[in-house]
Amino acid sequence: MADNKAKSGLLLDIRNLRIEATVFPPGEAPKNIVLVHDVSLTLEKGKVLGLIGESGAGKSTIGLSSMGYGRGGVRITGGEVILNGRDILKGGKEGFRKLRGREVCYVAQSAAAAFNPAHKLMDQVVEATLLHGTATRAEAEKRAVALFKKLSLPNPESIGERFPHQVSGGQLQRVMTAMALCSEPDLIVFDEPTTALDVTTQIDVLAAIKDAIRDTHVAALYITHDLAVVAQVSDEIMVLRHGRLVEWGGTRQIIKEPRQEYTNALVSVHEIEHQEQNPGTTPFLSVKKVTAAYGRSHIKVLKNVSVDIYPGQTLAVVGESGSGKSTLARAITGLLPPEEGTVTFDGRPLANRLADRPKEDLRQLQMIYQMADVAMNPRQTVGTIIGRPLEFYFGIRGRERDKRVAELLDKIEMGKGFIDRYPAELSGGQKQRVCIARSLAAKPKLIICDEVTSALDPLVANGILKLLLELQKEESVAYLFITHDLATVKSIADSIAVMYRGEVVRYGAKSKVLAPPFDAYTDLLLSSVPEMEIGWLEKAIKGRRMASAGN
Amino acid sequence: MSSPIVKLVAQRVALGILLLLAVSVLIFAGTQILPGDVAQAILGQSATPESLANLREQLGLNQPAYVRYFHWLGGVLTGDLGTAMSSGQDIATSIKGRLWNTLFLAFWAAIVAVPLAIILGLIAVRYRNGWVDKLISGLALASTSFPEFFIGYVLVYFFAVKWQIFPGISTVYDGMPFGERMQAIALPATALTLVVLAHMMRMTRAAILNVMQSAYVETAELKGLSAFNVIRKHAFPNAIAPIINVVMLNLAYLIVGVVVVEVIFVYPGMGQYLVDHVTKRDVPVVQAVGLIFAAVYISLNIIADIAAIIANPRLRHPK
């Protein structure tokens, strides 16, 4: 593949790429929409270009076009994709198959889903190499083991004998990177490779990917919505929005001197002003020494957990997946009756089981979930969804109900026009707003927010957080805010509980919890949050005192 | 490595045995509820109250039902299925040959139908929503929609009457040469294949299509695998459990549901035997055949369950 163009150092040259798809809106004729509007980019050998933008920006679509691949009926309808000096779009199906897995490899967002559960890891890692006949099986396996070592996987000699379900998510993501590197491609497309991981695992995987790119001199397209992450690995960054180029420049220029307003908004996304409130004298809800387990399991998911929530304030519960954050919410709401300990509300104990609680207690505690679209009945209109708690708790019906629904829609900054819409017609942020309105309709004292912004794009998430803070002022509702994202916690919490393996390891007012000296886990958690600084990754890895649980 | 598997398999087998016992109770109870009893059936018109009482005494029919049940069950467990009333022959001996015939027919029908259905399913997925897929689905559906007796008679009309390639009556006997035997069962085996083909093929297609949405199928496509290899190597192994399930259900049907086909082709199998004795109200034979059919059905389903357990890498290779 060494011809003139390649020698000059240019690996990938995408010119005026146009990508379209046919959508089938309900009740309307199918229509064509343009996903990518004439985007051009170039990538030199051994360089890393970060593609960044919110969902629907066309990042993945552009990345996959370098392999001639379109997800679910997506079509490349214009432009050229010149890889190693030839336009791959002219090569046809046969041409695509020859370059996929050989010249260009792909690392998916969720390695746990992207590995075939029926085959051993090694068979999958060397599959592309063997398919394209670039090495014998023995050579390919040797290469794979060397890559496992480079990516600092445990037991590099034997990990290939395992099945995907026997390996943790962070390790799988590294095995997937090894799989992409194994056929020694010229280009790897990384599609949000760390987004699905815990913050403490993300940093290790990120460091492993960065080292591997540096040592193998492979070029990469690194797709993510997290600017701080991409700043650690990229030479250049391209900001995309709605399938159009916003800004393209060196990493330093993009994060330090963004020229476009939209880029600026992405850079400063986490800056929310929130004055910490002093805890009042008496908490209205106290969790006292709660221990809980699923089924008759001996493994306790919550161990002796005690926290207090004060009226109109926010308690943030942070920790990585499996630390028991959501289980705490389930114990408080009565979905999972605790084995020991009590939850007191307004000075009286709440019934352990949901079924034993009176309606009034149910009304006082409301929940908002991570996945807004599955938390709503897709066959009910927004008006019905928000109106339901009004009917159920207060018996408000008819015109009075519609009036209240309109008021609530106003509160969540959505107009009356949304009353007759269905959830499928709303954007991700709007869906979450409707869920917020639904929980507010019950006029609760406490809203439990379980990772409510995790599934949203940063700017949209920011809007939701601002809305929640505003509503807190107006309605003086308290939040129990469950999240793994420390940046969110810093923005909105009054007090913080850090959870680790079912226990609260650090608890107190925000200013105290976030001030040194730290315990080992809180330190790890805090130091793992990516910062918009070039060179942060190396500093953070060096300064760590404790390995993350994913290893 | 195998501890969870051994436990699950043992559970399935134990459940199967329990189920079979329950079925035996149902079969026994069912034949008891029917009006009249064996003594009446034997004596028929000539029954007098005294002779009835005598015969009942002789046959042990005046004992309570549960005693007779355990007596019957004990016999079954030791291979004694009782005596047919209509002919006075030992049921076990007459069933043996017929069961063998039925299994022979089912085996050859399955040998053709199962691989054919799975391969057609794979091809349908490969060319999904194209004309090949529609043609396969359409033909398979049509062959299932026609009742067995219709297919049977159509086959007889063309292959036996018009072209005279195969015999229209599938007589087989002991010591018949293999080649002739195969020729004799060609038409009933074809009819059976056509009946079960579509169900298995459509389930194969649906199970694989379900898996085709997975991220790992995309991974395989992005490695440059050809479309058919993506299906064969990456989709099929993960769709195997539902496919085995439907295959086993159809195998059971091949053995248990052949009644109509056997009657059409006058094939001396279990189905014929059952139909003959139902018309003669020969209760012990009906009980015995019912129990054997239930055992076949339950064991094939246990095999399907076990195969699905073994096909699951999470159970085969625990953490």
Side-chain angles (χ1 to χ4, degrees), chain A residues 69 71 116 119 124 165, chain B residues 218 221 223 233 238 317:
Chain A
Y69 190 82
R71 255 185 205 140
N116 192 326
H119 300 301
Q124 303 192 52
H165 68 272
Chain B
E218 186 181 283
E221 284 173 0
K223 280 176 179 172
K233 283 180 74 179
N238 290 292
H317 305 275

Side-chain angles (χ1 to χ4, degrees), chain B residues 1-71:
Chain B
M1 153 210 155
S2 54
S3 66
I5 289 201
V6 170
K7 197 182 153 203
L8 280 168
V9 169
Q11 261 177 6
R12 290 296 186 287
V13 172
L15 268 176
I17 292 172
L18 215 66
L19 197 58
L20 199 51
L21 275 176
V23 170
S24 76
V25 172
L26 275 183
I27 289 175
F28 187 81
T31 52
Q32 295 304 308
I33 294 168
L34 295 175
D37 64 1
V38 183
Q40 269 174 333
I42 292 175
L43 292 174
Q45 298 285 339
S46 61
T48 61
E50 295 91 62
S51 61
L52 266 180
N54 282 337
L55 193 60
R56 282 189 180 133
E57 179 82 49
Q58 233 176 14
L59 294 172
L61 289 177
N62 47 2
Q63 282 175 308
Y66 71 92
V67 175
R68 279 180 286 131
Y69 168 71
F70 282 111
H71 188 72

Side-chain angles (χ1 to χ4, degrees), chain A residues 64 67 69 71 97 100-102 104 106 108 110 113-119 123-125 127-128 131-132 162-163 165-166 176 179, chain B residues 126 214-227 229-230 232-235 237-238 311-319:
Chain A
L64 285 168
M67 312 178 80
Y69 190 82
R71 255 185 205 140
R97 266 182 34 211
R100 290 177 189 164
R102 182 175 183 178
V104 191
Y106 180 72
S110 166
F115 272 112
N116 192 326
H119 300 301
D123 292 340
Q124 303 192 52
V125 168
E127 186 175 20
L131 178 75
H132 297 290
R162 319 202 92 193
F163 281 82
H165 68 272
Q166 296 173 309
M176 185 127 205
M179 180 159 91
Chain B
R126 166 66 184 86
S214 320
Y216 53 79
V217 166
E218 186 181 283
T219 307
E221 284 173 0
L222 291 176
K223 280 176 179 172
L225 267 75
S226 67
N229 273 335
V230 169
R232 190 179 56 85
K233 283 180 74 179
H234 289 275
N238 290 292
N312 184 345
R314 283 167 200 276
L315 293 171
R316 207 168 56 226
H317 305 275
K319 281 200 176 180

Side-chain angles (χ1 to χ4, degrees), chain B:
Chain B
M1 153 210 155
S2 54
S3 66
I5 289 201
V6 170
K7 197 182 153 203
L8 280 168
V9 169
Q11 261 177 6
R12 290 296 186 287
V13 172
L15 268 176
I17 292 172
L18 215 66
L19 197 58
L20 199 51
L21 275 176
V23 170
S24 76
V25 172
L26 275 183
I27 289 175
F28 187 81
T31 52
Q32 295 304 308
I33 294 168
L34 295 175
D37 64 1
V38 183
Q40 269 174 333
I42 292 175
L43 292 174
Q45 298 285 339
S46 61
T48 61
E50 295 91 62
S51 61
L52 266 180
N54 282 337
L55 193 60
R56 282 189 180 133
E57 179 82 49
Q58 233 176 14
L59 294 172
L61 289 177
N62 47 2
Q63 282 175 308
Y66 71 92
V67 175
R68 279 180 286 131
Y69 168 71
F70 282 111
H71 188 72
W72 174 66
L73 190 67
V76 169
L77 290 177
T78 52
D80 172 19
L81 295 174
T83 318
M85 295 170 332
S86 46
S87 57
Q89 282 173 337
D90 180 46
I91 298 177
T93 2
S94 30
I95 276 188
K96 215 195 274 165
R98 288 175 170 274
L99 182 60
W100 166 246
N101 284 343
T102 293
L103 290 178
F104 185 79
L105 178 59
F107 174 78
W108 287 107
I111 285 283
V112 177
V114 174
L116 189 65
I118 290 176
I119 289 169
L120 285 178
L122 290 175
I123 293 173
V125 174
R126 166 66 184 86
Y127 299 102
R128 59 187 167 279
N129 303 330
W131 66 269
V132 177
D133 179 21
K134 287 184 180 135
L135 184 74
I136 292 175
S137 293
L139 287 181
L141 207 60
S143 81
T144 305
S145 311
F146 289 123
E148 292 142 287
F149 57 83
F150 180 74
I151 293 179
Y153 286 132
V154 167
L155 288 174
V156 168
Y157 177 71
F158 284 106
F159 289 92
V161 178
K162 264 200 133 167
W163 303 326
Q164 305 197 341
I165 307 173
F166 297 112
I169 292 177
S170 312
T171 329
V172 290
Y173 50 86
D174 284 344
M176 191 173 179
F178 181 73
E180 278 178 40
R181 197 179 263 264
M182 289 301 282
Q183 211 180 1
I185 65 158
L187 291 187
T190 309
L192 282 176
T193 301
L194 288 174
V195 169
V196 295
L197 191 66
H199 189 203
M200 288 192 283
M201 175 257 145
R202 289 179 70 86
M203 277 305 288
T204 305
R205 179 180 179 277
I208 295 177
L209 272 185
N210 199 17
V211 174
M212 291 299 281
Q213 315 288 332
S214 320
Y216 53 79
V217 166
E218 186 181 283
T219 307
E221 284 173 0
L222 291 176
K223 280 176 179 172
L225 267 75
S226 67
F228 199 77
N229 273 335
V230 169
I231 297 170
R232 190 179 56 85
K233 283 180 74 179
H234 289 275
F236 183 64
N238 290 292
I240 202 120
I243 293 175
I244 291 176
N245 246 312
V246 72
V247 164
M248 287 302 165
L249 274 179
N250 280 288
L251 288 189
Y253 181 80
L254 283 180
I255 298 167
V256 175
V258 291
V259 179
V260 176
V261 171
E262 283 186 1
V263 172
I264 292 171
F265 292 96
V266 204
Y267 183 77
M270 294 280 280
Q272 268 261 305
Y273 189 61
L274 177 65
V275 172
D276 283 351
H277 289 81
V278 166
T279 49
K280 291 176 196 158
R281 289 189 57 189
D282 194 336
V283 172
V285 174
V286 174
Q287 277 180 337
V289 175
L291 196 62
I292 288 173
F293 280 179
V296 166
Y297 215 83
I298 290 171
S299 8
L300 284 173
N301 275 293
I302 291 175
I303 292 173
D305 273 7
I306 292 173
I309 290 168
I310 292 172
N312 184 345
R314 283 167 200 276
L315 293 171
R316 207 168 56 226
H317 305 275
K319 281 200 176 180

